[in-house]
């Protein structure tokens, strides 16, 4: 391994983000939902990557729906968890599916990327719908709030 490759490898290792680098709210979600160790790296990466999308969705929610949770970080953490599980399920299904004969490898890769993006977007959309519903449904609201009780 050349010196440049060694330095690049060290740099990659140095920037590895862990659950400790994330919000307390994400750690609460992980603990409450008993997220398996094998999913933590993906969850942390999804959490970091989805912040802008989550923020846009949060900002578009009515205040009454935002008030179901205490803050944006709780919302963002729930979305990251939902996207992680949905992403794993989707990728597992795609591993089992065969590339159509009329698609090139690049077309199939693009198709999978577009479909994954839709799956992840649907997680955000679904969470928004659930919060809107929870504002008028006290038991559902309590379920959301229970996750973040310390």
């Amino acid at each position: 391994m050349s010196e440049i490759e060694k330095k690049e490898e060290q740099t990659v290792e140095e920037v590895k983000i862990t659950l400790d680098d994330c919000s307390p709210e994400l750690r609460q979600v992980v603990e409450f939902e008993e997220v398996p160790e094998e999913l933590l790296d993906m969850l942390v990466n999804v959490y970091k990557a989805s912040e802008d999308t989550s923020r846009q969705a949060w900002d578009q929610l009515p205040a009454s729906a935002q008030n179901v949770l205490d803050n944006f970080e709780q919302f963002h953490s729930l979305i990251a968890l939902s996207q992680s599980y949905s992403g794993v399920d989707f990728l597992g299904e795609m591993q089992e599916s065969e590339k159509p004969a009329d698609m090139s490898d690049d077309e199939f890769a693009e198709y999978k990327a577009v479909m994954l993006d839709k799956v992840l977007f649907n997680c955000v959309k679904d969470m928004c719908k659930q919060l809107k519903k929870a504002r008028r449904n006290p038991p559902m609201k309590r379920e959301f709030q229970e996750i973040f009780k310390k």
Side-chain angles (χ1 to χ4, degrees):
M1 186 179 284
S2 74
E3 286 300 311
I4 294 173
E5 290 172 325
K6 286 179 186 175
K7 286 182 182 180
E8 286 177 356
E9 189 174 305
Q10 288 173 340
T11 303
V12 169
E13 289 175 16
E14 289 171 12
V15 262
K16 183 171 177 167
I17 299 168
T18 67
L19 191 57
D20 294 335
D21 301 316
C22 297
S23 71
E25 291 86 353
L26 184 62
R27 291 190 294 276
Q28 286 176 288
V29 166
V30 166
E31 185 178 315
F32 184 85
E33 296 293 337
E34 299 177 355
V35 176
E37 184 78 28
E38 305 82 38
L39 189 63
L40 291 180
D41 280 344
M42 181 173 184
L43 175 61
V44 168
N45 286 308
V46 167
Y47 176 82
K48 291 296 181 184
S50 68
E51 186 168 358
D52 289 342
T53 304
S54 295
R55 174 63 70 184
Q56 289 173 357
W58 175 258
D59 290 345
Q60 292 174 359
L61 279 173
S64 58
Q66 288 180 350
N67 288 335
V68 169
L69 300 171
D70 290 338
N71 55 48
F72 164 73
E73 283 301 328
Q74 291 179 349
F75 177 73
H76 182 206
S77 298
L78 291 170
I79 285 180
L81 181 66
S82 173
Q83 289 179 322
S84 295
Y85 277 121
S86 295
V88 166
D89 290 345
F90 173 78
L91 293 172
E93 290 173 17
M94 289 309 293
Q95 290 290 86
E96 295 173 7
S97 63
E98 292 186 26
K99 176 180 72 89
D102 62 341
M103 261 190 202
S104 70
D105 288 344
D106 287 343
E107 289 171 329
F108 191 55
E110 177 66 20
Y111 168 76
K112 289 193 292 188
V114 168
M115 293 307 293
L116 178 60
D117 194 46
K118 286 181 181 183
V119 166
L120 299 179
F121 175 75
N122 284 338
C123 291
V124 176
K125 199 165 109 176
D126 184 56
M127 185 62 62
C128 290
K129 284 181 185 178
Q130 288 183 45
L131 284 178
K132 288 176 183 178
K133 187 176 177 182
R135 64 188 169 173
R136 293 189 180 99
N137 183 331
M140 191 175 182
K141 184 176 181 177
R142 278 191 298 278
E143 283 181 36
F144 273 109
Q145 294 169 341
E146 185 69 30
I147 297 168
F148 299 102
K149 287 186 179 173
K150 293 182 181 180

